[in-house]
Amino acid sequence: MPQRAHGFTLIELLVVLVIISIIVTVGVISLGALGRDPPAKLAASQLADLAGLAEEQAVMQSQEYGLLIEPHAYTFYIYDGRTWAPAKDDSLFRRHELGDEVTLTLDLDGAPVILAPPPATVADTSSPSAASAAPAADGSDDAPKPQLLFLSSGELQPFSIIVGGVDKDSGSYTVKGTLVDGIQVTEPDVPGKH
């Protein structure tokens, strides 16, 4: 009887590498909260790590992910084949409130994007303008849709998310994503720092 060669297939090795990268990303995100870096730097690092993880999971799970950017928050979405819905059952991809000390702006393909207003809460529905800003849960055109898409095909539209803090002296961090370079954070050019 001929002996079979023992070893691992390329697919098995790739799956192990993805699992390791997910574990490392979760560890980095968890430890990021312990540092003493400025809030904008922590927010930029966490956003870049989560966006990279969403990009990897989109390809590995053949699932479309999206990212909705607001001035002081961001939310990951999942496409079910008909509508975009917030990722609610995933603790990493839940809605991330950044507070007033961190501000986000978004550029897609080099053009600025008007950011979505924060969703209205039940207490805010007393004013007519707040009631009209509430997201529709029925998948209609009024429902918020993500500006950034992480497609299962691996495609990625070039984007830049500028993460700024209230301390203007510390500068703004930029989370950039391209198909060639992936998703990364660039540090601000602060005068006097080398």
Side-chain angles (χ1 to χ4, degrees), residues 161-186:
I161 303 170
I162 294 89
V163 183
V166 291
D167 179 13
K168 301 297 182 196
D169 295 334
S170 65
S172 297
Y173 298 83
T174 305
V175 178
K176 287 188 174 191
T178 64
L179 189 57
V180 174
D181 298 326
I183 299 171
Q184 51 192 292
V185 177
T186 58

Side-chain angles (χ1 to χ4, degrees), residues 85-139:
K88 295 183 183 202
D89 296 333
D90 193 324
S91 62
L92 287 176
F93 292 139
R94 64 175 167 54
R95 178 178 171 78
H96 292 266
E97 294 280 348
L98 303 175
D100 291 335
E101 55 191 24
V102 176
T103 303
L104 303 176
T105 57
L106 173 64
D107 289 344
L108 288 177
D109 290 322
V113 174
I114 297 173
L115 297 182
T121 61
V122 176
D124 294 339
T125 58
S126 59
S127 72
S129 62
S132 64
D138 60 2

Side-chain angles (χ1 to χ4, degrees), residues 1-178:
M1 203 149 68
Q3 283 189 336
R4 291 180 28 160
H6 295 280
F8 298 104
T9 65
L10 182 60
I11 301 274
E12 291 171 331
L13 290 173
L14 287 174
V15 168
V16 169
L17 287 174
V18 168
I19 291 171
I20 290 171
S21 69
I22 289 171
I23 292 170
V24 168
T25 300
V26 169
V28 167
I29 291 170
S30 299
L31 291 176
L34 301 176
R36 296 181 185 247
D37 290 328
K41 182 176 184 177
L42 293 174
S45 295
Q46 184 180 38
L47 178 55
D49 290 342
L50 289 172
L53 183 60
E55 182 184 31
E56 289 175 5
Q57 282 196 5
V59 173
M60 291 299 295
Q61 297 177 356
S62 296
Q63 173 71 59
E64 317 305 331
Y65 283 83
L67 179 59
L68 177 71
I69 304 290
E70 300 168 20
H72 300 286
Y74 57 91
T75 306
F76 284 90
Y77 280 69
I78 297 176
Y79 189 66
D80 68 4
R82 293 180 323 198
T83 59
W84 287 99
K88 295 183 183 202
D89 296 333
D90 193 324
S91 62
L92 287 176
F93 292 139
R94 64 175 167 54
R95 178 178 171 78
H96 292 266
E97 294 280 348
L98 303 175
D100 291 335
E101 55 191 24
V102 176
T103 303
L104 303 176
T105 57
L106 173 64
D107 289 344
L108 288 177
D109 290 322
V113 174
I114 297 173
L115 297 182
T121 61
V122 176
D124 294 339
T125 58
S126 59
S127 72
S129 62
S132 64
D138 60 2
S140 68
D141 288 339
D142 294 337
K145 293 180 181 65
Q147 302 105 331
L148 297 178
L149 302 179
F150 305 104
L151 302 177
S152 59
S153 63
E155 294 177 64
L156 180 65
Q157 181 179 17
F159 69 88
S160 294
I161 303 170
I162 294 89
V163 183
V166 291
D167 179 13
K168 301 297 182 196
D169 295 334
S170 65
S172 297
Y173 298 83
T174 305
V175 178
K176 287 188 174 191
T178 64

